[in-house]
Amino acid sequence: MSDVITTTSNSDLAAIADLLQRQRAQRLDVVAPAAAIRAEGGRLVVRDAGEPVLTADGVTARDASLAPNVVADAGIADKLGIPAPYVRHLRENNVELWDANVNGWLERDARSFLVRGLADEDGGEGIARAFLSEKYRIVDNLDVLLATLEGLRSTGIEANVTGADLSEKRMYVRISSRLSRPPRRSCWPTTARRSPATAERTTRWCSPVSSSPTVR
């Protein structure tokens, strides 16, 4: 299998952004029926999900071959009803039996599944990083990071990424921040009545200006 990078630790903003951009380019997320998925040599093979190949006969669809990581193996166990410790044991000790178990339950399943993968840039074997229900919404780590930083800036917070860790399950981003402009005070009109004999008068209530927020 080619070197598909999926994790990093203590990266700065430029490094984590570069890794997430490369992962986006390699992203292979496909919803496929169980009948289009098979286990082969400890890998998940998804029919016609790979990059198409241009040949003399035209464009030919290719199968995607993905090696499951620990998260994908846990998803396979959960969705197919196979005990997770047993799946891990087969992965480490008997890949042929892993194939037989996964294929046996896929053949009896009429559902579709979301297979989240990273394709190899050189056309080799990629990585299956999640095996989920087709109802899951695909969320991209790069979109989450950019939306978070933009959301902070839009509220007047100048944010700097001081470090980031990316695991198979989560992305952790450490941010230092300060206010880049004074926060706005929010005011609302209110109506007060002095006494039953006097007319109403309109005043404004304003929220207090808060101190600099702490962002974690």
Side-chain angles (χ1 to χ4, degrees), residues 173-185:
V173 179
R174 294 179 291 281
I175 296 175
S176 65
S177 63
R178 66 182 180 86
L179 289 176
S180 59
R181 63 174 183 267
R184 297 180 59 185
R185 300 180 70 189

Side-chain angles (χ1 to χ4, degrees), residues 6-215:
T6 59
T7 63
T8 186
S9 60
N10 201 29
S11 296
D12 59 19
L13 178 58
I16 191 68
D18 178 67
L19 174 57
L20 295 179
Q21 286 169 348
R22 281 187 283 129
Q23 286 190 353
R24 173 177 283 182
Q26 295 173 279
R27 185 174 65 186
L28 195 161
D29 295 331
V30 58
V31 174
I37 305 170
R38 70 181 186 276
E40 185 177 292
R43 295 163 290 129
L44 283 182
V45 178
V46 186
R47 189 173 63 221
D48 298 338
E51 289 293 325
V53 179
L54 181 61
T55 66
D57 298 324
V59 178
T60 303
R62 259 192 335 185
D63 295 345
S65 178
L66 305 170
N69 63 14
V70 293
V71 177
D73 260 344
I76 291 169
D78 176 59
K79 292 296 175 281
L80 299 184
I82 309 172
Y86 183 56
V87 169
R88 289 195 297 270
H89 176 73
L90 296 181
R91 165 70 61 194
E92 296 171 2
N93 299 285
N94 194 328
V95 172
E96 292 79 9
L97 195 52
W98 184 92
D99 290 347
N101 274 267
V102 173
N103 285 330
W105 289 108
L106 284 172
E107 290 168 2
R108 293 167 172 78
D109 207 311
R111 295 174 294 171
S112 291
F113 300 98
L114 169 60
V115 180
R116 299 208 66 188
L118 293 173
D120 180 71
E121 293 176 327
D122 299 323
E125 183 179 279
I127 290 176
R129 52 179 176 167
F131 189 85
L132 305 163
S133 163
E134 64 174 328
K135 297 179 181 179
Y136 270 78
R137 178 171 174 262
I138 296 172
V139 178
D140 188 85
N141 281 328
L142 182 59
D143 292 335
V144 172
L145 176 61
L146 295 177
T148 300
L149 294 176
E150 179 56 32
L152 291 170
R153 292 191 184 102
S154 68
T155 59
I157 298 174
E158 186 177 298
N160 295 305
V161 174
T162 60
D165 303 323
L166 184 66
S167 72
E168 300 285 7
K169 294 182 178 181
R170 296 179 178 86
M171 179 174 65
Y172 301 88
V173 179
R174 294 179 291 281
I175 296 175
S176 65
S177 63
R178 66 182 180 86
L179 289 176
S180 59
R181 63 174 183 267
R184 297 180 59 185
R185 300 180 70 189
S186 300
C187 299
W188 298 269
T190 61
T191 301
R193 186 185 295 274
R194 293 182 180 178
S195 70
T198 60
E200 295 179 345
R201 63 185 180 90
T202 301
T203 61
R204 292 200 311 163
W205 179 85
C206 296
S207 63
V209 176
S210 61
S211 59
S212 297
T214 300
V215 180

